[in-house]
Amino acid sequence: MHLPIGTLLQGGRYEIIRYISSGGFGCTYEARNTKFKNIAKSLAIKEFFVKDFCNRDAATNYISVATQGKAELVEKLRAKFLAEAAALYGFNHPNIVRVTDTFEENGTAYYVMEYIDGSSLANIVEKNGPLSEEKALGYIRQVADALKYVHSQNYLHLDVKPHNIMVDGNDRAVLIDFGVSKQYDEANGANTSTLVGSTPGYAPLEQSGSGIREFSPTTDIYSLGATLFKLVTGMNPPVASEVNENGLPTPVGVSSALFHAIETAMQPRRKDRPQSIAEFLCLVESGKMQDESD
């Protein structure tokens, strides 16, 4: 159950316009800032609400934990939700969704972010079919630049996939949903934890275990390669265990150079993949130049 249209938050500062979707941590809404009534600019608000463990009072919108046995888990998830908001608030990159405010209300937590008026890459491919290599690479370069920035902050996104890449009216690709991201430090490895699963087909083998303890861009690079596979083939990439057993199937209509880049990014062993976003982009660009010279 989500907030009704017209709900006011933060003493009337924000008004819910539309329910957008639900995810692992809760609900996302389109909203507006009522202090700027003459500016028709939407915001997005994400609300912490785990449907399997939480209840919402229909009269007050107050959220409570369904059973005391789940209280500790919900509190951990809530802390992760707030950590996601804090991470995004500190990021400053044109291809990463911007967070502008956080607050707590109705027994739960919220954060406010830019509203991206567009579609996800998943929806674009579903509607229009596979993208041309040129078009796909245009988006991948933008996402790669975003990931390069994320990695420079000692974060891994850990859920790169077409559903988590929005495209606005200016063809700007924006990386969203840092709900499973992790921050790392050199001494202790991972210093944030995640409690939600990975996405089959886009997650490498190392994500199927107890978690990624050591910082390595190669995990996100695998997912970026899988995303590129989806964009140029229209097919879901095989799960990592199948890639490990049988390799990546050779798609029809994809240049051999680009397929080589995708296949290298999706190697089962981390040491066999490009070790940085810069290496991945060099592989992609060298393949593109090779295709143009053939």
Side-chain angles (χ1 to χ4, degrees):
M1 188 172 79
H2 51 80
L3 290 172
I5 293 172
T7 297
L8 298 176
L9 299 170
Q10 277 294 84
R13 181 177 185 181
Y14 301 115
E15 180 184 5
I16 299 299
I17 297 174
R18 178 173 66 95
Y19 163 74
I20 298 175
S21 64
S22 295
F25 280 133
C27 305
T28 303
Y29 306 90
E30 182 181 355
R32 69 184 184 97
N33 190 324
T34 61
K35 291 187 177 182
F36 302 101
K37 294 181 179 179
N38 296 326
I39 301 176
K41 183 177 180 180
S42 292
L43 304 166
I45 293 182
K46 193 168 183 179
E47 175 191 50
F48 177 71
F49 179 80
V50 186
K51 63 180 180 179
D52 292 336
F53 305 141
C54 296
N55 293 324
R56 188 194 304 274
D57 185 285
T60 65
N61 291 320
Y62 190 88
I63 292 173
S64 59
V65 181
T67 64
Q68 278 304 111
K70 297 297 183 183
E72 183 178 353
L73 175 59
V74 169
E75 189 52 40
K76 286 182 179 179
L77 289 169
R78 178 181 164 122
K80 185 69 179 80
F81 178 89
L82 291 171
E84 176 189 2
L88 286 169
Y89 188 83
F91 288 169
N92 182 21
H93 192 280
N95 301 108
I96 297 174
V97 65
R98 293 189 301 274
V99 166
T100 58
D101 193 11
T102 62
F103 59 93
E104 297 186 51
E105 190 172 337
N106 296 329
T108 192
Y110 300 84
Y111 63 80
V112 183
M113 54 190 166
E114 66 172 315
Y115 176 76
I116 302 166
D117 189 8
S119 299
S120 71
L121 281 177
N123 289 338
I124 290 172
V125 171
E126 182 180 356
K127 180 180 179 181
N128 301 320
L131 306 182
S132 69
E133 293 188 11
E134 181 180 3
K135 190 74 170 176
L137 287 174
Y139 294 134
I140 289 296
R141 290 188 190 100
Q142 293 181 65
V143 177
D145 199 58
L147 285 172
K148 184 178 179 181
Y149 175 87
V150 170
H151 296 165
S152 75
Q153 307 300 307
N154 283 332
Y155 270 87
L156 295 178
H157 185 279
L158 299 178
D159 199 19
V160 178
K161 59 185 178 182
H163 280 95
N164 285 342
I165 301 166
M166 296 293 295
V167 178
D168 68 12
N170 296 317
D171 231 21
R172 177 179 64 121
V174 182
L175 186 60
I176 65 170
D177 202 342
F178 282 68
V180 298
S181 64
K182 284 188 182 182
Q183 184 184 29
Y184 296 77
D185 63 44
E186 292 183 4
N188 302 311
N191 58 29
T192 60
S193 61
T194 181
L195 294 168
V196 293
S198 54
T199 304
Y202 298 94
L205 280 174
E206 64 264 23
Q207 276 189 269
S208 63
S210 58
I212 311 296
R213 295 300 306 169
E214 297 178 358
F215 176 79
S216 175
T218 57
T219 300
D220 282 342
I221 288 167
Y222 183 102
S223 303
L224 190 60
T227 296
L228 182 53
F229 179 90
K230 172 70 174 184
L231 297 187
V232 296
T233 67
M235 301 185 299
N236 292 324
V239 297
S241 59
E242 291 183 14
V243 176
N244 186 45
E245 289 291 329
N246 305 312
L248 196 64
T250 304
V252 177
V254 175
S255 68
S256 59
L258 185 63
F259 177 68
H260 173 67
I262 294 170
E263 188 177 40
T264 305
M266 294 182 67
Q267 284 297 305
R269 298 192 304 179
R270 284 183 287 185
K271 68 178 183 178
D272 294 332
R273 302 172 204 156
Q275 297 298 297
S276 67
I277 290 294
E279 282 188 28
F280 171 76
L281 287 175
C282 281
L283 186 63
V284 168
E285 297 301 339
S286 63
K288 183 173 182 294
M289 288 188 290
Q290 178 184 325
D291 279 339
E292 289 174 351
S293 64
D294 288 345

